[in-house]
Amino acid sequence: MTTPPHNKFDQPIGVTVENWQACALPPATVMTGQHCQVEPIDPQKHAADLFSGNRVAADGERFTYLGTEAFDDVESYRKWLETMRGPDPMLHAIIDLASGKAVGVAAFMRIDTAHGVIEVGNINYTPALSQTIAGTEAMYLMMKRAFDELGYRRYEWKCDDQNLPSRAAAARYGFVYEGTFRQHMVYKGRNRDTAWFSITDQEWPIVSAAFEAWLDPQNFDANGKQVNSLQKLRQSLANH
């Protein structure tokens, strides 16, 4: 274990952050990958695709752990999207490049520019995006914006402690579990213990390299099945 620095009183303190300056808010611009495009939400443009995409799933199933219930009609959904346009939260639509349709959303939120901390949340993938290469790439594009473009030090993921798919997704993407805040909030009339995860800028180079290797077309066979998992690729990179 590295010995921490000490101040003039011989007290252990945190390491110096050289030339730190506050980060900027995320810009309202498009992020484009090989399989998807992530763009600031436009309710008039995106609501219909997203609403119909969610209706394909069992009614309301994908809203269990979100702050709202499933919407009954596209107009009420559109009105809610209007409240999510930023600057915080700044919701984004995930566009499948093959179909041109909006197939999911995710937001930059709880943005602390002074300390370089930003969270990804309000994630809602329709069945058309779940468990796809595009779904993974969208998360990578948002991380790249936070770390590489804007210089944030910490990227957070939080979810209901009971939301096992979200916890599994966080681990798959490379987030480190930090603990659970007990009785963190009340939503939908019930308690929420919140699981906290993060990626730091020091961890980002390996996480980023693993995403790049995973997204390489050579990492998929003729049937589109992955050759190496993200977890395996990160482990391999960490051992070199």
Side-chain angles (χ1 to χ4, degrees), residues 64 66-67 69 160 185-192:
T64 297
L66 295 176
E69 299 291 0
D160 189 313
M185 62 176 69
V186 177
Y187 77 132
K188 298 182 176 178
R190 63 179 187 260
N191 175 65
R192 170 169 146 165

Side-chain angles (χ1 to χ4, degrees), residues 20-231:
W20 172 252
Q21 294 182 348
C23 298
L25 288 168
T29 55
V30 174
M31 296 164 267
T32 303
Q34 303 173 65
H35 305 275
C36 72
Q37 180 170 292
V38 183
E39 59 189 44
I41 197 74
D42 180 339
Q44 296 302 319
K45 178 181 177 182
H46 300 133
D49 281 350
L50 293 167
F51 180 78
S52 61
N54 275 312
R55 299 291 279 191
V56 172
D59 192 26
E61 175 185 2
R62 293 181 177 239
F63 287 80
T64 297
Y65 299 110
L66 295 176
T68 67
E69 299 291 0
F71 293 87
D72 293 329
D73 57 82
V74 69
E75 187 55 36
S76 60
Y77 182 54
R78 184 179 289 112
K79 288 180 179 178
W80 178 79
L81 291 177
E82 288 285 356
T83 71
M84 300 291 289
R85 301 186 74 171
D88 186 357
M90 182 186 286
L91 194 67
H92 289 71
I94 301 166
I95 313 299
D96 174 50
L97 290 179
S99 68
K101 291 186 176 183
V103 289
V105 295
F108 287 128
M109 56 190 289
R110 303 187 189 280
I111 304 167
D112 184 346
T113 57
H115 299 105
V117 180
I118 191 168
E119 178 181 342
V120 62
N122 276 296
I123 300 167
N124 183 18
Y125 282 13
T126 69
L129 184 61
S130 296
Q131 299 181 331
T132 65
I133 300 174
T136 296
E137 184 179 52
M139 291 294 98
Y140 177 48
L141 291 173
M142 294 183 75
M143 290 182 198
K144 281 187 68 177
R145 169 150 290 180
F147 284 117
D148 294 343
E149 183 178 336
L150 300 173
Y152 281 80
R153 302 178 64 233
R154 173 180 168 87
Y155 193 77
E156 295 182 334
W157 176 295
K158 305 185 185 84
C159 63
D160 189 313
D161 191 58
Q162 301 299 313
N163 188 349
L164 300 184
S166 183
R167 294 183 62 126
R172 176 175 174 265
Y173 294 141
F175 287 84
V176 175
Y177 172 65
E178 297 180 324
T180 295
F181 280 33
R182 299 176 300 159
Q183 296 191 188
H184 180 222
M185 62 176 69
V186 177
Y187 77 132
K188 298 182 176 178
R190 63 179 187 260
N191 175 65
R192 170 169 146 165
D193 295 344
T194 299
W196 286 52
F197 301 80
S198 73
I199 298 169
T200 68
D201 57 351
Q202 294 185 21
E203 296 159 346
W204 172 240
I206 285 179
V207 172
S208 176
F211 271 110
E212 289 285 351
W214 188 85
L215 288 164
D216 188 318
Q218 294 186 357
N219 189 46
F220 297 90
D221 64 20
N223 297 315
K225 184 178 180 181
Q226 69 178 10
V227 176
N228 291 305
S229 69
L230 270 172
Q231 295 95 321

